[in-house]
Amino acid sequence: MKQLTATSMWMRLICTVLVITSVACDLPRDSDGTLNRIRGGTMRVGVVVDTPWTTDSAGVVGGIEGTMVERLARQLNARVTWMHGQQDVLLTALQNRDLDLVIGGLGASSPWSKQVAFTMPYDVDTVRVPGGRKPIETQHVIAAAPGENAWLMRVERMLIEERPKVAEQLRQGNP
Amino acid sequence: MSIGETFSYPEEQRQLRQRAKKLSWLSIVLLLSAGTLLLYALGQSEAMKTAWVSDVLTAIPPMALLAAMRVELRDRSPRFPYGYTRSISVAFLVTSGVLSLVGLYLFYDSVAKLVKQQRPPIGMTEMFGHHFWSGWLMIGALSYSLICGLLLGLLKKPVAKRLSDKALSAEATMNRDEWMSEGAAIVGILLVGYGHWWGDALAAAFISLEIVHDGWMNMRLVLGDLMDETPTKMGKPEMEDITDKVRSRVEKIGKVARAGVRLREHGRAVTGEIFVVPRDGTNVLDLVRDVSREAKGIDWRLHDITVMPVHDLENATPPRVSSS
């Protein structure tokens, strides 16, 4: 019986904690304050060129993901510092939180999903290798710094807003 | 002597056994439903992963118990002349081994995450057109799992007690203690929500230690059984007084000068030997029959007891015998 009352006491405690936290509904927060730093500041973005997702014409980053990042920066009143490079280098930098985002046609099934924070997919496409047995499906994501969950949520909210435009863009012209 | 008899339950215990069976099925359904929900909400949280594994693992004991119950009452065969009552112990050995190993692995995994400072990303979930933080979904799934565990623990405890089933009792304790795992995972995810990334792996480490503890608890029970330990009280290391009870009842029979008893547990049944020193001029065969009958009436668990007439107790009995 003693055990039982202790258990119900714990249950009450957990319930209280839940109520308090749902009242303070500004969760999640960043562990390093990334989103607050970027607002009105600088956004550090790594780019791997992978047309049509990311393009680079004379130093100006574009493409579907490039445009989305520019739009996000405008919403947050932030300046973007681009860093071009090889995927492994950029993602390692992202893992160390020396970058805030990495774009470049990343897919949700990439082994990097364990080390950095992938967003929810904003587009799905299917590629077939000539003569291949199975079509390959890619769920396109953007990579954010791990543990910065308010930042991650902010990027994902932008993706949800941009999703219809991206689908439209892909249907027209771009392969 | 009851050499040829198959172990069977008295009416009350038979009903309880049916109840235990139903509870085992209920456990499997509830725990797997909670497991499915947790899997859906899993994400990249280490605490969630550990809570999920712990949830699925606790569904194994009821499965093992159900399997063991199928063979437990089988008739003895030439290959298994002692019957199948011990199958429950085998079920237990499997469970405890799996729990300990998986628990240790998960502990290593979460500590490694702490050391490497891997921060868990918990982002957004999209559900029925609504967007919210995945953490809330995780906490919801964990709460459901927590309630399932508590419920199962509370339902199983009394049945286990009246059936004197240690496996079921340990299982009930394990289910009840699941609330600690789920509670820890909830706290871990809330900590992550508040920006404390280490909360997740720390909660996972705590949960994995809980799993190891479960495994060790079960292992102790089954090792005692394999070592032919004297029947012990439910959930406690103290010995039961059943050995003394049998001895004093047998010594009350007029023809018995002295008696020595050693007993051990075979699953839910209790088996062993009764050594008797007959008074002079007693018909030994009659005595053996009387002692055997007497023993049967003492406790429903007593089964397959061998009655051995001896000249002298000290020479014929092992040191652990309760005879003084």
Side-chain angles (χ1 to χ4, degrees):
Chain A
M1 273 332 255
K2 205 168 177 190
Q3 195 73 42
L4 224 162
T5 45
T7 312
S8 62
M9 221 177 70
W10 269 100
M11 288 287 285
R12 217 168 295 162
L13 184 78
I14 289 168
C15 288
T16 323
V17 169
L18 281 182
V19 168
I20 291 170
T21 45
S22 48
V23 168
C25 222
D26 62 334
L27 296 189
R29 295 179 193 163
D30 287 333
S31 44
D32 254 5
T34 299
L35 182 57
N36 285 334
R37 200 200 65 232
I38 289 175
R39 275 210 179 95
T42 334
M43 196 199 288
R44 304 164 300 177
V45 183
V47 190
V48 185
V49 174
D50 183 7
T51 332
W53 316 106
T54 46
T55 55
D56 179 10
S57 50
V60 180
V61 177
I64 285 161
E65 291 176 6
T67 317
M68 286 198 289
V69 167
E70 284 286 7
R71 226 169 264 158
L72 176 66
R74 223 170 304 134
Q75 285 168 8
L76 293 173
N77 239 339
R79 207 164 50 80
V80 182
T81 8
W82 300 104
M83 181 179 170
H84 293 264
Q86 191 204 333
Q87 183 179 298
D88 285 299
V89 175
L90 293 178
L91 286 171
T92 307
L94 186 68
Q95 190 186 356
N96 299 338
R97 282 167 290 117
D98 291 328
L99 288 177
D100 301 316
L101 281 181
V102 169
I103 56 173
L106 286 163
S109 58
S110 155
W112 278 96
S113 67
K114 295 260 184 300
Q115 280 87 46
V116 298
F118 279 179
T119 60
M120 60 168 72
Y122 65 88
D123 183 65
V124 181
D125 72 349
T126 313
V127 176
R128 194 180 273 277
V129 176
R133 288 189 197 89
K134 271 186 183 168
I136 299 157
E137 193 190 80
T138 310
Q139 299 192 309
H140 288 278
V141 298
I142 285 178
E148 304 303 287
N149 293 323
W151 169 232
L152 177 64
M153 291 268 285
R154 184 63 192 82
V155 177
E156 286 180 319
R157 220 169 69 216
M158 175 274 291
L159 288 181
I160 290 169
E161 286 162 14
E162 297 289 320
R163 227 168 18 189
K165 281 183 224 164
V166 170
E168 184 64 25
Q169 234 171 311
L170 284 169
R171 231 192 345 268
Q172 299 167 352
N174 283 319
Chain B
M1 283 217 291
S2 50
I3 269 187
E5 242 171 56
T6 308
F7 182 63
S8 66
Y9 289 93
E11 190 48 36
E12 190 199 347
Q13 272 71 26
R14 191 161 40 230
Q15 279 170 15
L16 282 169
R17 192 170 170 273
Q18 279 319 106
R19 186 101 207 272
K21 234 178 187 169
K22 271 186 205 145
L23 282 175
S24 294
W25 279 114
L26 182 71
S27 305
I28 294 172
V29 170
L30 281 185
L31 291 171
L32 290 187
S33 73
T36 315
L37 208 63
L38 286 176
L39 185 67
Y40 177 72
L42 206 57
Q44 282 198 50
S45 157
E46 180 73 11
M48 277 297 280
K49 188 178 91 184
T50 316
W52 175 70
V53 171
S54 135
D55 188 275
V56 171
L57 278 182
T58 48
I60 297 178
M63 291 183 200
L65 204 66
L66 278 174
M69 272 175 160
R70 281 182 77 95
V71 291
E72 179 195 24
L73 294 183
R74 260 194 213 166
D75 233 335
R76 55 191 80 220
S77 62
R79 189 176 281 274
F80 293 102
Y82 292 93
Y84 292 84
T85 45
R86 237 178 186 174
S87 55
I88 303 252
S89 307
V90 176
F92 232 45
L93 182 64
V94 174
T95 312
S96 54
V98 170
L99 277 174
S100 309
L101 285 178
V102 173
L104 282 176
Y105 168 72
L106 287 171
F107 183 69
Y108 158 77
D109 207 34
S110 47
V111 168
K113 284 215 162 141
L114 270 180
V115 171
K116 279 190 261 165
Q117 306 203 4
Q118 276 189 32
R119 301 174 179 219
I122 303 178
M124 201 182 269
T125 297
E126 214 179 350
M127 218 185 209
F128 313 118
H130 291 281
H131 307 112
F132 51 91
W133 185 45
S134 308
W136 298 127
L137 187 69
M138 295 178 182
I139 289 171
L142 285 167
S143 306
Y144 172 71
S145 172
L146 189 151
I147 289 163
C148 285
L150 272 183
L151 186 76
L152 288 174
L154 288 178
L155 286 174
K156 278 179 197 165
K157 206 74 189 185
V159 177
K161 205 161 187 180
R162 283 163 65 201
L163 206 52
S164 87
D165 186 333
K166 285 182 184 152
L168 195 63
S169 164
E171 205 187 303
T173 311
M174 219 162 104
N175 286 144
R176 195 198 59 205
D177 289 351
E178 269 287 297
W179 71 261
M180 280 196 270
S181 307
E182 266 87 32
I186 290 176
V187 171
I189 284 161
L190 284 176
L191 279 170
V192 171
Y194 279 105
H196 306 294
W197 61 269
W198 43 262
D200 184 50
L202 201 67
F206 174 80
I207 299 166
S208 56
L209 285 182
E210 242 334 276
I211 300 177
V212 174
H213 173 252
D214 280 347
W216 175 239
M217 213 173 67
N218 287 303
M219 188 71 92
R220 262 196 55 140
L221 272 174
V222 78
L223 286 184
D225 217 357
L226 285 176
M227 287 294 293
D228 288 339
E229 192 182 19
T230 289
T232 48
K233 288 182 182 160
M234 281 273 265
K236 287 181 200 145
E238 290 128 57
M239 289 184 281
E240 245 184 293
D241 56 1
I242 187 168
T243 310
D244 283 326
K245 214 159 104 190
V246 171
R247 186 181 53 81
S248 68
R249 284 278 290 269
V250 168
E251 279 188 337
K252 282 205 184 98
I253 299 173
K255 302 165 205 162
V256 177
R258 286 192 69 195
V261 177
R262 61 176 185 200
L263 297 174
R264 62 186 195 275
E265 286 170 291
H266 259 194
R268 289 171 190 145
V270 171
T271 182
E273 293 83 28
I274 303 176
F275 300 91
V276 285
V277 183
R279 287 193 199 284
D280 289 337
T282 315
N283 180 328
V284 171
L285 276 181
D286 286 352
L287 175 69
V288 166
R289 187 195 56 208
D290 291 351
V291 170
S292 178
R293 268 190 204 147
E294 178 73 18
K296 259 187 176 173
I298 296 174
D299 195 304
W300 66 269
R301 291 175 296 160
L302 289 175
H303 166 68
D304 228 1
I305 303 283
T306 307
V307 180
M308 180 72 188
V310 287
H311 273 297
D312 190 355
L313 212 50
E314 271 67 38
N315 293 338
T317 54
R320 261 300 292 279
V321 101
S322 160
S323 61
S324 50

